[in-house]
Amino acid sequence: MNKHFIVLFCLCMFFVTAAEAQEKTDDIAFWTTVKVDPPAIAERWFTSVILEYRLKNDLKETDLYSALALIDYKIDSHWRAGLGYEFFLNKMPGKDIVEHRYYPQVTYNCKLQRFSVSLRSRVMNTFTEWKKPNWRHRNRLKISYNIKNAPLRPFVYVEPYNSLSKPFYRTNKIRYAGGCSVILAAKQSLDVFYMQESYHTRPFVRHVIGVDYSYSF
């Protein structure tokens, strides 16, 4: 009897330890941003500032704080080219890690009746040390719809991240999102969305609930 109890106890401890050691394969997160578009600094030149806060681990822990500054040049009614810099403060167990990111970007926008289509392409370098670059190519295709006589703009988008180092142009992760923009006033809007971020380099999926506020001068 005692032998059977000891064997059963050992088996239970083994499976509990194995389950605890198993890597987490999904998470629920919350992301929120505040975006401000100041008045144009010159003809065709525009700037944006974005502050972001994220929660992770099923909304139990702070993931990061970030601040982004972007300058854009309006080439014509469809094309824009810009340069951005982003600062990250990542909250890790027992320490904080600072990251920097800079990127050139090109954006194409067009309207098809009540649909709006936007394609944004970025070549990003994200690093903690200048001597250790991490280049990626990031593309976002976004489609939104202007509901007649309603302050609502439902949208969907897809955004793959591809490595520019070895292995070259491997897809690291893809974001799929759907949500709605609510026009609060002439210069204010609120985006509410759900996004699934699927990693291809490891078995991990992040489910993100997001709320973004925008104000334009």
Side-chain angles (χ1 to χ4, degrees):
M1 181 68 177
N2 291 335
K3 291 182 180 180
H4 292 302
F5 175 79
I6 294 172
V7 171
L8 182 60
F9 177 78
C10 291
L11 286 173
C12 290
M13 291 301 297
F14 171 79
F15 285 114
V16 168
T17 303
E20 291 179 347
Q22 190 176 26
E23 185 179 5
K24 189 175 182 181
T25 58
D26 64 346
D27 188 28
I28 299 175
F30 174 75
W31 297 1
T32 184
T33 65
V34 175
K35 179 184 178 184
V36 177
D37 295 326
I41 57 178
E43 185 179 4
R44 294 177 178 262
W45 289 93
F46 301 89
T47 58
S48 297
V49 176
I50 302 176
L51 303 177
E52 183 176 25
Y53 174 70
R54 296 182 184 179
L55 288 170
K56 63 179 180 180
N57 194 16
D58 298 332
L59 312 180
K60 298 175 185 176
E61 299 178 13
T62 295
D63 186 7
L64 62 79
Y65 302 90
S66 72
L68 181 151
L70 175 68
I71 183 168
D72 252 339
Y73 177 73
K74 186 177 181 181
I75 300 171
D76 57 29
S77 60
H78 297 294
W79 292 93
R80 286 196 179 202
L83 185 65
Y85 166 77
E86 195 164 5
F87 172 88
F88 297 93
L89 180 63
N90 298 286
K91 307 295 288 185
M92 306 298 288
K95 61 179 179 178
D96 296 340
I97 296 178
V98 173
E99 281 188 317
H100 306 273
R101 172 183 294 167
Y102 65 88
Y103 53 85
Q105 73 173 30
V106 176
T107 307
Y108 175 79
N109 297 287
C110 70
K111 290 188 177 181
L112 303 171
Q113 296 183 352
R114 306 195 72 84
F115 288 94
S116 295
V117 180
S118 173
L119 178 62
R120 186 185 68 191
S121 182
R122 290 177 174 176
V123 177
M124 310 184 306
N125 182 20
T126 307
F127 58 93
T128 56
E129 297 181 29
W130 181 260
K131 296 180 180 179
K132 298 179 180 180
N134 180 18
W135 288 97
R136 293 182 181 180
H137 188 206
R138 173 179 174 182
N139 293 294
R140 187 191 70 181
L141 176 62
K142 182 178 181 180
I143 301 174
S144 59
Y145 183 75
N146 184 354
I147 300 177
K148 189 176 181 179
N149 299 325
L152 303 175
R153 306 288 185 270
F155 64 83
V156 294
Y157 71 76
V158 59
E159 188 172 25
Y161 286 62
N162 297 299
S163 173
L164 295 180
S165 56
K166 295 181 180 180
F168 183 75
Y169 224 70
R170 177 185 66 181
T171 300
N172 294 319
K173 62 181 178 181
I174 299 181
R175 292 176 174 176
Y176 305 93
C180 189
S181 294
V182 182
I183 310 303
L184 303 176
K187 299 181 179 181
Q188 300 181 63
S189 65
L190 188 72
D191 289 2
V192 180
F193 63 91
Y194 163 77
M195 182 184 73
Q196 178 178 296
E197 185 175 51
S198 300
Y199 284 74
H200 288 203
T201 55
R202 58 191 174 101
F204 185 79
V205 176
R206 180 177 288 114
H207 304 278
V208 179
I209 301 166
V211 178
D212 296 339
Y213 170 79
S214 298
Y215 182 85
S216 299
F217 286 91

